Amino acid sequence: NAGVMQNPRHLVRRRGQEARLRCSPVKGHSHVYWYRQLPEEGLKFMVYLQKENIIDESGMPKERFSAEFPKEGPSILRIQQVVRGDSAAYFCASSTGADWAEAFFGQGTRLTVV
Amino acid sequence: RKEVEQDPGPFNVPEGATVAFNCTYSNSASQSFFWYRQDCRKEPKLLMSVYSSGNEDGRFTAQLNRASQYISLLIRDSKLSDSATYLCVVKASSGSARQLTFGSGTQLTVLP
């Protein structure tokens, strides 16, 4: 693993609370992807960001979900007013952004909404 | 039609067997191709990139057929530790967006 750090590893929230997931990419990587994986399902694209820009958010639910990747600090995936259906593993990956470049994943944040 | 399609399996094979996974993609503008493996409840990890000329890494061989929009992964002399879900990943360029698109994965279990 090339060092993508996600925290927290596990997060429990009650329905209606906010969940904030952090992702620090590999040093030197300026491209970040967020994916969601529901139990027994594949990875689903959510959002693709470069520093200070959202490039593609076509996989993000229209409401309650937002993402940012500021000039300084980690990328943040924010889920407001969480519902049980938001329970999933959220993976972040980073890349240099070059066409040929592979992406490296963090260990994920497992969100449980109770 | 899904952008990246894989046979979900499961594939159950004995140790030492050779197993092949296939993947098709629908976006002809796809530029880069990868195989990742994902162990249960862990993050996906890059197994290998797939090059047009085909490439090999030890017991693993990847092939790409751009005309047919088809990618394959061959595992020879399967080990118990090869048991995992194998994800076909395609990277397409659409303007400034270079989104990674994942297949749903093929589950492999290598049996003793």
Side-chain angles (χ1 to χ4, degrees):
Chain A
N1 190 302
V4 177
M5 301 300 295
Q6 288 189 250
N7 67 83
R9 293 287 307 281
H10 300 274
L11 182 61
V12 179
R13 284 286 177 267
R14 295 186 184 281
R15 280 178 292 171
Q17 290 185 318
E18 177 179 291
R20 196 173 283 239
L21 288 61
R22 294 176 201 78
C23 169
S24 296
V26 172
K27 189 175 180 182
H29 285 190
S30 58
H31 294 240
V32 164
Y33 305 80
W34 284 94
Y35 291 83
R36 175 164 66 176
Q37 188 168 36
L38 296 167
E40 308 304 322
E41 292 191 14
L43 284 158
K44 301 291 185 213
F45 169 77
M46 299 184 75
V47 63
Y48 167 37
L49 310 107
Q50 293 179 29
K51 284 280 187 182
E52 299 185 277
N53 286 305
I54 296 174
I55 305 302
D56 183 349
E57 57 182 346
S58 58
M60 288 278 270
K62 294 287 184 281
E63 297 176 348
R64 302 187 298 108
F65 285 72
S66 63
E68 63 176 7
F69 188 16
K71 187 177 180 181
E72 302 290 339
S75 176
I76 306 286
L77 179 67
R78 185 179 173 210
I79 311 172
Q80 295 178 291
Q81 299 174 318
V82 295
V83 301
R84 288 231 170 100
D86 296 333
S87 296
Y90 292 83
F91 290 101
C92 165
S94 76
S95 168
T96 62
D99 286 349
W100 47 264
E102 60 274 287
F104 295 94
F105 281 81
Q107 292 180 297
T109 294
R110 299 194 181 277
L111 172 66
T112 303
V113 180
V114 297
Chain B
R1 183 186 171 189
K2 290 183 183 177
E3 289 187 56
V4 180
E5 293 207 58
Q6 293 182 249
D7 181 345
F11 284 62
N12 298 316
V13 303
E15 267 188 291
T18 295
V19 61
F21 304 139
N22 302 320
C23 170
T24 57
Y25 59 95
S26 60
N27 186 350
S28 58
S30 299
Q31 295 184 321
S32 307
F33 310 89
F34 310 93
W35 283 101
Y36 281 72
R37 70 170 277 170
Q38 186 176 25
D39 293 287
C40 186
R41 299 181 67 78
K42 296 287 184 68
E43 75 275 22
K45 292 186 177 178
L46 178 69
L47 180 65
M48 58 197 304
S49 300
V50 186
Y51 303 120
S52 296
S53 55
N55 50 299
E56 189 174 306
D57 183 1
R59 298 181 293 108
F60 299 84
T61 301
Q63 298 276 350
L64 167 65
N65 185 324
R66 285 188 185 271
S68 303
Q69 296 182 196
Y70 170 95
I71 307 158
S72 66
L73 177 69
L74 183 77
I75 305 175
R76 290 182 299 277
D77 188 23
S78 301
K79 311 290 184 193
L80 295 176
S81 57
D82 293 335
S83 298
T85 297
Y86 289 82
L87 303 165
C88 174
V89 182
V90 171
K91 194 179 203 181
S93 179
S94 173
S96 59
R98 296 183 178 84
Q99 184 196 124
L100 292 170
T101 303
F102 283 77
S104 297
T106 299
Q107 188 179 339
L108 171 66
T109 301
V110 180
L111 304 168

